């Protein structure tokens, strides 16, 4: 596929960070996710691929309970992170989301300064003891997101003034600043041009060192470039899951094969 | 991304906040605090809504608890013998009502005797139980039915406003100590008469259909004439603001080029919608009465002022419904060779009609309740006592309007008028409610989603 | 020829023109509709419009100009002596009344029209004669007034005749001109549409005319007022005590103070309640709660202000006295009567709650969902999201909404007329009765005031002040709100 694809054994060494079992999601009367079970490994990039409306984004939003904000949405089954059921009534979604960060399809910086955008998360979660500590968190998050050199002289300017690609990296930095363990990315490059996309992909590859990343993508090339494991969704079902290399070179299911060879999509 | 690799030192230790590994199943203290703040915030919102609803309920309670009694009025039923000679004598004298009063006095004393109520009160004093309009009531009956002279007719005469107030619980004996119109002794009598069924509270149609009465006779005051005044004003508003508003909207939405003049009109309309209504009253006074010498207090002037006031509302809603018609409809008409004008009048306008109608009704409802400009063009301060005789006089003769009449009553000294004012509000609100419900039904029924 | 008759004749001419124009076009095409440039109806309309539009325009112009010309002619007949005695306006209104009386008398058959023109005060008691036909005159008619009135009638008669000739002439000429142009190649549709377009433009211009009318009526009378009363005393005077006998002090400061004080209380009630209600409705409420609570709150907006005025005067005022008045629940004696700044402010606040909440609701809903997702995705609670992301993002819009509410409060009339009191005062005590700009506009212009006196004219200056302030607030607020909306579109 692509020379950037990482050797499969790297992925195989890691243990399961997230494990989902028989997850069902309903939107009102619509059965959006059917019986999905999957194990997502720690410090790996896992890509969810599939045609539009296949449920990959819906499933992603289950992992940090963003679906809670939609009134008609109902989730059944278990999703465990580090062995703890995140749908347990004792779990506070606020704490969960601090542990499981999210980056969205369209860059959505707050209408605040670049500094305040990054500092927002640490502030609400009480992560910085004083101003200096906060500044350090902001600087290091921006550095990790590879944005530091571009914005260090204009931290007071509004985040909305950055270019699309920079905005998306700002949003990634914003997610990192809360020091999550898992980062969910919902088609993070779909609104970006190829150059900005390349930068974000590079960033994702670097972040793998410290974070478990789940990325939903439309582009099979992107999945092949950045992920170690790939899951293929179709009509709310998880059709096939495995090492990225295997999925793309040797799909077990007919539907997967049809999809990656472009018969439908 | 090479710069990051070089510039960040050992990430986690320096700069990066490190949270200790915690279980998701235990809620930490900070989160608990934050959740408490969350609940508090939510409660503020609920409290705000409850405050709003409380005010609504309080307002409606005030209106209905004070106003419903206006629809009931105390009547005294007295059989009066209309002797031919007495009537002729009365009609021949200068102060005609005084002779009728004498007839009523006689009848009242007789009626009390029949009911077995004894009193040592003088007839003239006794008459204070009745409205001072009682004689006129008898007289107008006689004039309308000359054939019944000589018979004994049982009249339902209005009781005076204080007797009415006493039976409704508004007037107390203590309050009558310094009252020259009625004594506590009268009230004792009224109690007995009520027991015997001579005095009784009944639904009072005259409040809805009647005319205003002078300061001293609140029991006679009705809102009917000012309702007619409002009706004529609304006719003016409807027949001027609808065509003008629709024409203006069509121009602005469909034909107007993007230029300074169009911008000027647009800014103008949105600002006119927010100009205080009293300023429109000043305009009406200066332009229609001072300059154009239209008659003061006439519904036509009120209608013109309210038209200018409602136009922006109607234009804004009409434009919204024109905008809601998809361009594909216009394209389709233009595509078969219709002119722009034909496409608008044959296709867009009929499709937008329900929306326009809804907006117009809501605009009319607004105009119906408006008071301030009417004060300046003289629709208060007099007694709207006559129904207009013809269509033209309906527009041109001085009249009041419902809200102006309510204001007039609220200003009068006798608290008996307050009940009238609240009652008038109930009538006014009924009209507004009906109009709004019609608008809602129209919208539900004909609203199209493209 | 009377006015309604002229209008009817014009309409009849137009109808005839319609038929003739249509017929001529059809005839020129030999009865074959396909040979016509436009549909036959357009030819008819073309002629009808040509008959009506110039005629009606001329009629309106004539109606506006004739009284001015006649007034000028007749008033030159009034001697300086009688002007000195009362005023030209009063004498002229007498003249008009006598002239109308003569008309009525002629119509009733009490006088022939020659008699009406030749009758003399020296020989007849005119007041008595007119009284017989039901025209009551306040005083005896002087010979000068009668002469003027007769001249007035003469000129009016002449004017009316001229009006009929000119207007109907124009109608006939217009129709004839359009009729002879009707043939199969004439572009009747384009011509009609051009006229309709101008009618539409005229309708749209009425909004501008209204503003111009407001501005002119305010400016003229304000200038007139400042000629009688120094502007500096008006704007900086600390006392408001008009007396129609003269020697009034007409300082606007106490009125402005009360207006702002009441508006401030109204905003202090409506902004927190309205804003929190809007936040709850748009962020927390389930669709069912929203479907019930929102329309119920909006009922408050649909209730006419006279109702709120009555509520203030008869319910809230007495209630506040029960609490803050002498022997009240709190045992403080702060409030003497039911009408007070607090009463009016509180009730106005209630009135503005739905105004603030529905504007804020719209504005909060305009903040993109992506903002909420971004914040929630970081683990913020909903209230943190509202307070730290949504409200800051919506701030300009909300400020605009509050300014619009403030302009509403400043211009509100009925609540303050009934609830605030009548005496102008500069006081800090919110339980005292004070009076506002709008309330004084009403009180100075109602009743039997002489419109030429400074005590009445001051109302126009108050109106001017009010208009300028609210217009400024509105333009500024609408600008902010529009800018805000553009940001998220």
């Amino acid at each position: 596929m692509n020379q950037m694809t990482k050797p499969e054994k790297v992925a195989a060494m890691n243990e399961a960070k997230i494990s989902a079992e028989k997850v069902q999601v309903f939107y009102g009367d619509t059965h959006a996710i059917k019986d999905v079970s999957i194990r997502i490994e720690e410090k790996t990039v896992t890509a969810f691929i599939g045609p539009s409306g296949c449920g990959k984004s819906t499933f992603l939003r289950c992992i940090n309970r963003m679906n809670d904000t939609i009134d008609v949405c109902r989730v059944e089954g278990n999703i465990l992170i580090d062995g703890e059921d995140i749908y347990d009534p004792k779990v506070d979604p606020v704490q969960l989301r601090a542990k499981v960060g999210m980056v969205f399809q369209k860059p959505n910086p707050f209408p605040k300064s670049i500094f305040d955008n990054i500092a927002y998360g640490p502030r609400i979660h009480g992560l910085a003891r004083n101003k200096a500590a906060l500044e350090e968190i902001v600087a290091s998050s921006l550095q990790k997101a590879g944005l530091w050199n571009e914005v260090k002289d204009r931290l007071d300017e509004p985040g909305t003034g950055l270019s699309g690609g920079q905005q998306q990296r700002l949003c990634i930095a914003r997610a990192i600043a809360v020091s999550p363990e898992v980062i969910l990315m919902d088609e993070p490059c779909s609104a970006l041009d190829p150059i900005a996309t390349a930068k974000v992909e590079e960033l994702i590859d670097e972040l793998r060192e410290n974070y478990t990343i789940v990325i939903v993508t439309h582009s099979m090339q992107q999945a092949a470039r950045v992920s170690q494991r790939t899951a293929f969704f179709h009509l709310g079902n998880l059709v096939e899951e495995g090492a990225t290399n295997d999925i793309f070179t040797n799909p077990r299911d007919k539907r997967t094969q049809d999809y990656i060879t472009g018969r439908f999509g | 991304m090479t710069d990051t690799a070089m510039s960040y030192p050992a990430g986690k230790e320096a700069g990066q906040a490190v949270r200790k590994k915690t279980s998701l199943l235990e809620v930490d203290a900070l989160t608990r605090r934050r959740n408490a703040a969350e609940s508090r915030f939510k409660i503020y919102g609920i409290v705000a809504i409850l405050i709003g609803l409380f005010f609504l309920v309080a307002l409606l309670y005030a209106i209905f608890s004070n106003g419903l009694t206006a629809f009931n009025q105390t009547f005294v039923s007295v059989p009066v013998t209309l002797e031919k000679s007495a009537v002729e004598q009365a009609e021949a004298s200068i102060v005609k009502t005084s002779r009728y009063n004498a007839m009523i006095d006689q009848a009242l004393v007789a009626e009390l005797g029949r009911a077995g109520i004894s009193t040592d009160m003088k007839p003239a004093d006794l008459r204070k139980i009745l409205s001072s309009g009682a004689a006129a009531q008898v007289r107008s009956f006689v004039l309308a039915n000359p054939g019944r002279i000589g018979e004994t007719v049982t009249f339902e005469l209005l009781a005076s406003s204080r007797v009415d107030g006493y039976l409704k619980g508004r007037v107390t004996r203590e309050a009558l100590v310094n009252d020259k119109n009625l004594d506590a002794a009268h009230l004792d009598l009224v109690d007995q008469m009520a027991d015997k069924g001579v005095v009784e509270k009944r639904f009072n149609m005259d409040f809805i259909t009647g005319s205003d009465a002078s300061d001293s006779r609140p029991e006679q005051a009705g809102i009917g004439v000012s309702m007619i005044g409002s009706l004529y004003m609304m006719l003016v508003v409807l027949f001027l603001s609808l065509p003008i508003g629709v024409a203006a909207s069509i121009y602005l939405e469909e034909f107007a080029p993007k230029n300074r003049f169009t911008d000027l009109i647009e800014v103008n309309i949105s600002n006119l919608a927010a100009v205080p209504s009293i300023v429109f009253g000043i305009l009406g006074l200066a332009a229609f009465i001072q300059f154009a010498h239209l008659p003061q207090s006439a519904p036509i002037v009120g209608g013109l002022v309210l038209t200018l006031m409602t136009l922006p509302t109607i234009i804004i809603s009409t434009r919204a419904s024109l905008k809601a018609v998809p361009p594909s409809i216009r394209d389709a008409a233009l595509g078969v060779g219709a002119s722009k004008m034909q496409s608008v009048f044959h296709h867009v306008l009929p499709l937008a009609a329900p929306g326009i109608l809804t907006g117009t009704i809501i605009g009319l409802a607004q105009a119906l309740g408006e008071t301030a400009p009417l004060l300046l063009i003289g629709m208060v301060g007099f007694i709207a006592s006559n129904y207009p005789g013809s269509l033209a006089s309906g527009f041109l003769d001085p009249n009041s309007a419902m809200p102006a009449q309510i204001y007039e009553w609220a200003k009068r000294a006798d608290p008996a008028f307050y009940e009238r004012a609240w009652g008038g509000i109930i009538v006014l609100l009924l009209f507004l409610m009906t109009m709004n419900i019609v608008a809602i039904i129209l919208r539900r029924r004909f609203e199209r989603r493209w | 020829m009377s006015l309604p008759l002229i209008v009817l004749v014009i309409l009849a001419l137009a109808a005839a023109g319609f038929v003739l124009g249509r017929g001529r076009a059809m005839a020129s095409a030999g009865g074959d509709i396909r040979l016509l440039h436009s549909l036959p109806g357009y030819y008819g309309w073309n002629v009808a419009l040509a008959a009506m539009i110039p005629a009606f325009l001329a009629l309106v112009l004539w109606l506006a100009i004739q009284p001015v010309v006649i007034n000028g002619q007749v008033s030159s007949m009034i001697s300086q002596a009688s002007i000195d005695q009362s005023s030209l306006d009063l004498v002229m209104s007498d003249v008009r009344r006598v002239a109308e009386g003569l008309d009525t008398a002629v119509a009733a058959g009490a006088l022939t029209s020659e008699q009406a023109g030749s009758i003399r005060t020296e020989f007849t008691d005119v007041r008595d004669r007119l009284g017989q036909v039901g025209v009551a005159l306040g005083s005896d008619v002087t010979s000068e007034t009668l002469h003027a009135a007769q001249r007035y009638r003469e000129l009016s008669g002449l004017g009316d005749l001229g009006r009929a000739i000119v207007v109907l002439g124009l109608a006939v000429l217009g129709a004839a001109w359009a009729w002879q142009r009707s043939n199969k190649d004439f572009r009747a549709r384009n011509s009609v549409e051009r006229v309709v377009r101008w009618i539409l433009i005229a309708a749209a211009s009425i909004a501008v005319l209204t503003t111009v009318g407001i501005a002119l009526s305010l400016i003229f009378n304000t200038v007139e007022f400042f000629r009688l009363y120094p502007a500096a005393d008006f704007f900086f005077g600390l006392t408001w005590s008009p007396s129609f006998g003269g020697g009034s002090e007409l300082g606007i400061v106490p009125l402005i103070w009360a207006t702002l004080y009441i508006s401030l209380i109204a905003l202090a009630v409506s902004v927190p309640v309205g804003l929190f209600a809007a936040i709850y409705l748009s962020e927390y409420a389930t669709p069912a709660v929203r479907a019930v609570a929102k329309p119920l709150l909006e009922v408050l907006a649909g209730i006419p202000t006279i109702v709120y005025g009555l509520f203030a005067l008869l319910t809230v005022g007495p209630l506040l006295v029960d609490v803050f008045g002498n022997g009240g629940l709190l045992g403080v004696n702060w409030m003497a009567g039911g009408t007070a700044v607090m009463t009016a402010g509180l009730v106005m606040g209630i009135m503005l709650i739905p105004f603030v909440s529905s504007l804020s609701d719209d504005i909060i809903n305009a903040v993109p969902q992506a903002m909420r997702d971004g914040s929630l995705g970081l683990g913020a609670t909903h209230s943190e999201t509202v307070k730290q992301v949504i409200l800051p993002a919506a701030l300009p819009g909300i400020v605009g909404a509050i300014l619009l509410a403030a302009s509403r409060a400043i211009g509100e009339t009925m609540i303050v007329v009934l609830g605030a009191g009548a005496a102008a005062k500069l006081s800090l005590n919110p339980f005292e009765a004070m009076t506002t700009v709008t309330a004084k506009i009403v009180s100075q212009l109602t009743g039997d005031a002489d419109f030429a006196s400074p005590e009445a004219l001051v109302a126009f200056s108050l109106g001017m002040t009010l208009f300028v302030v609210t217009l400024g607030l509105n333009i500024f607020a609408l600008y902010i709100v529009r800018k805000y909306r553009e940001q998220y579109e």
Side-chain angles (χ1 to χ4, degrees), chain C residues 100-302:
Chain C
E100 275 167 30
L102 290 173
D103 284 342
T104 320
V106 172
L111 292 170
T112 64
S113 37
E114 285 104 75
Q115 278 174 325
S118 60
I119 194 172
R120 288 287 172 268
T121 45
E122 290 80 2
F123 310 122
T124 327
D125 185 352
V126 177
R127 186 181 176 191
D128 198 40
R129 282 293 282 278
L130 293 181
Q132 282 166 12
V133 290
V135 181
L137 295 179
S139 59
D140 269 336
V141 181
T142 64
S143 98
E144 188 185 63
T145 312
L146 184 63
H147 271 297
Q150 282 163 341
R151 177 83 184 133
Y152 186 92
R153 282 194 70 224
E154 223 171 275
L155 287 173
S156 305
L158 214 63
D160 288 354
L161 187 66
R163 181 178 74 188
I165 293 172
V166 168
V167 168
L168 295 183
L170 273 175
V172 171
L173 280 179
W177 174 75
W179 176 77
Q180 61 86 23
R181 296 213 307 167
S182 304
N183 67 61
K184 67 180 167 47
D185 297 323
F186 177 62
R187 300 179 167 217
R189 200 199 67 231
N190 306 39
S191 159
V192 169
E193 288 187 350
R194 208 160 35 240
V195 174
V196 172
R197 200 186 160 101
W198 277 107
I199 293 176
L200 296 183
I201 293 179
S205 311
I206 285 188
V208 180
L209 280 182
T210 308
T211 311
V212 171
I214 290 175
L216 286 182
S217 54
L218 289 174
I219 290 171
F220 273 124
N221 288 296
T222 302
V223 167
E224 189 62 32
F225 170 67
F226 285 145
R227 223 183 318 218
L228 298 171
Y229 192 88
D233 289 1
F234 171 70
F235 285 117
F236 303 111
L238 298 182
T239 322
W240 173 271
S241 63
S243 74
F244 281 97
S248 305
E249 281 187 85
L250 303 171
I252 197 177
V253 175
L255 305 184
I256 299 259
W257 164 246
T259 305
L260 294 182
Y261 202 173
I262 291 174
S263 306
L264 199 73
I265 293 176
L267 290 180
V269 172
S270 59
V271 169
V273 175
L275 197 55
F276 270 108
I279 290 171
Y280 186 81
L281 285 177
S282 57
E283 296 292 326
Y284 288 100
T286 59
V289 170
R290 192 177 156 85
V292 174
K294 199 172 152 69
L296 275 181
L297 278 185
E298 273 162 15
V299 168
L300 280 175

Side-chain angles (χ1 to χ4, degrees), chain B residues 366-425:
Chain B
Q366 239 175 50
L368 183 61
E370 192 53 63
T371 323
L374 304 185
L375 304 187
L376 295 194
I377 54 167
M379 299 196 80
V380 287
F382 62 93
I383 294 165
S385 53
N386 295 314
Y387 277 100
S390 66
L391 198 65
S393 71
F395 288 114
L396 294 171
D397 284 357
N399 201 338
S400 189
M402 276 193 278
Q405 181 71 70
I406 293 166
Y407 170 72
E408 183 62 30
W409 283 335
K411 264 192 351 180
R412 291 192 186 161
D414 191 336
F417 279 110
Y418 296 163
E419 173 196 85
R420 301 325 244 203
W422 289 113
I425 282 176

Side-chain angles (χ1 to χ4, degrees), chain C residues 85-99:
Chain C
Q85 256 176 23
S86 52
S87 76
L88 184 60
D89 274 352
L90 286 180
V91 177
M92 281 306 294
S93 73
D94 267 354
V95 169
R96 270 195 296 273
R97 205 168 307 133
V98 173

Side-chain angles (χ1 to χ4, degrees), chain A residues 6-44:
Chain A
K6 296 295 169 293
E8 193 189 324
K9 62 177 196 293
V10 180
M13 282 177 354
N14 295 319
E15 60 197 60
K17 177 77 178 169
I18 307 168
S19 73
E21 237 172 285
K22 301 206 165 158
V23 174
Q24 323 274 350
V25 179
F26 302 89
Y27 279 114
D29 295 332
T30 323
H31 197 170
I33 296 283
K34 297 162 193 159
D35 233 4
V36 169
S37 302
I38 189 173
R39 289 159 59 85
I40 292 168
E41 293 167 8
E42 190 163 20
K43 300 199 173 155
T44 324

Side-chain angles (χ1 to χ4, degrees), chain A residues 84 92 125 143 146 149 179, chain B residues 4 19 23-24 30 34-35:
Chain A
E84 295 174 325
D92 192 311
H125 292 293
Q143 279 161 354
N149 285 355
S179 45
Chain B
T4 44
R19 249 176 333 163
S23 164
L24 282 175
L30 177 65
R34 288 169 61 200
N35 282 339

